[in-house]
Amino acid sequence: MEVCMFCERLRNPSELADCLVYEDELFHVSHQLNEEGQTYLGSVIIQSRRHVHDLAEVTEKEASRLGSLITRSSRALKNCTGAGWTYAESFLERYQHVHVIVTARYPSMPKEYIRLAIRKWPGAPRGTRPDVIELSRKLRAGMVLREIDDPTELLNEIRLTRINP
């Protein structure tokens, strides 16, 4: 049986500490990091703490929280990176462990790099580990832990954390 990369990530949380954006009893959210080179700035991964194979198998509580985290991550990414919008994707082919990747889609990105080609964009904002750590800190501040009825209130709270892509 193949070891689940997502379960392994949670077993050694010190490796994820610098890139942590949000965590609770159900989910862990961190900025993706390429240890071997430049990292696309503005891509977070939301993963369930519980090893669950498929979105159809999550509990109602997990489903509700996941939806909220996708929205909050998207808002934080837009406000901290200047993204025009975000992509959300989940492919459970290699590791069947529920996770969603939310990625900033920058307004200046050429059309030939839309959707799944986004990480191939040579002009994308990229950075090293210290850049990812700094953006993770800003995203953490942007992940509001309370419910907000008016999204403009959220925007005003985190507007000052924006990076310059």
Side-chain angles (χ1 to χ4, degrees):
M1 182 174 159
E2 191 172 1
V3 174
C4 175
M5 176 194 71
F6 294 102
C7 289
E8 287 301 309
R9 285 169 42 106
L10 292 175
R11 278 196 248 297
N12 192 356
S14 63
E15 290 182 15
L16 300 173
D18 290 342
C19 300
L20 178 69
V21 173
Y22 173 87
E23 67 180 341
D24 62 23
E25 75 283 4
L26 299 177
F27 289 93
H28 182 276
V29 182
S30 59
H31 194 288
Q32 291 190 303
L33 177 66
N34 178 0
E35 291 282 7
E36 298 163 8
Q38 297 282 302
T39 297
Y40 184 97
L41 294 175
S43 187
V44 300
I45 186 160
I46 304 166
Q47 70 179 79
S48 63
R49 289 194 172 279
R50 182 171 72 94
H51 184 82
V52 57
H53 292 172
D54 183 47
L55 290 168
E57 297 173 12
V58 299
T59 66
E60 289 301 316
K61 183 176 179 180
E62 288 169 330
S64 176
R65 183 78 48 83
L66 180 58
S68 176
L69 288 173
I70 291 169
T71 300
R72 289 177 178 183
S73 295
S74 180
R75 287 176 181 161
L77 281 166
K78 283 182 68 175
N79 285 286
C80 293
T81 67
W85 62 88
T86 58
Y87 293 146
E89 60 190 271
S90 180
F91 301 105
L92 302 171
E93 299 299 327
R94 184 163 180 205
Y95 298 105
Q96 291 186 323
H97 184 121
V98 168
H99 65 283
V100 175
I101 298 169
V102 182
T103 305
R105 200 286 197 189
Y106 293 94
S108 60
M109 186 179 79
K111 291 188 190 268
E112 62 265 27
Y113 298 107
I114 64 170
R115 298 185 188 98
L116 296 178
I118 193 168
R119 285 173 188 79
K120 295 177 183 174
W121 175 30
R126 297 185 189 283
T128 60
R129 184 180 188 89
D131 299 316
V132 172
I133 291 169
E134 178 62 17
L135 179 53
S136 297
R137 183 192 64 74
K138 291 176 180 180
L139 291 169
R140 210 169 22 255
M143 291 287 287
V144 178
L145 301 179
R146 59 186 170 82
E147 291 295 322
I148 294 180
D149 293 326
D150 180 5
T152 57
E153 183 180 338
L154 173 66
L155 298 177
N156 291 332
E157 286 186 35
I158 62 178
R159 193 165 310 279
L160 297 176
T161 64
R162 178 172 285 171
I163 65 165
N164 293 320

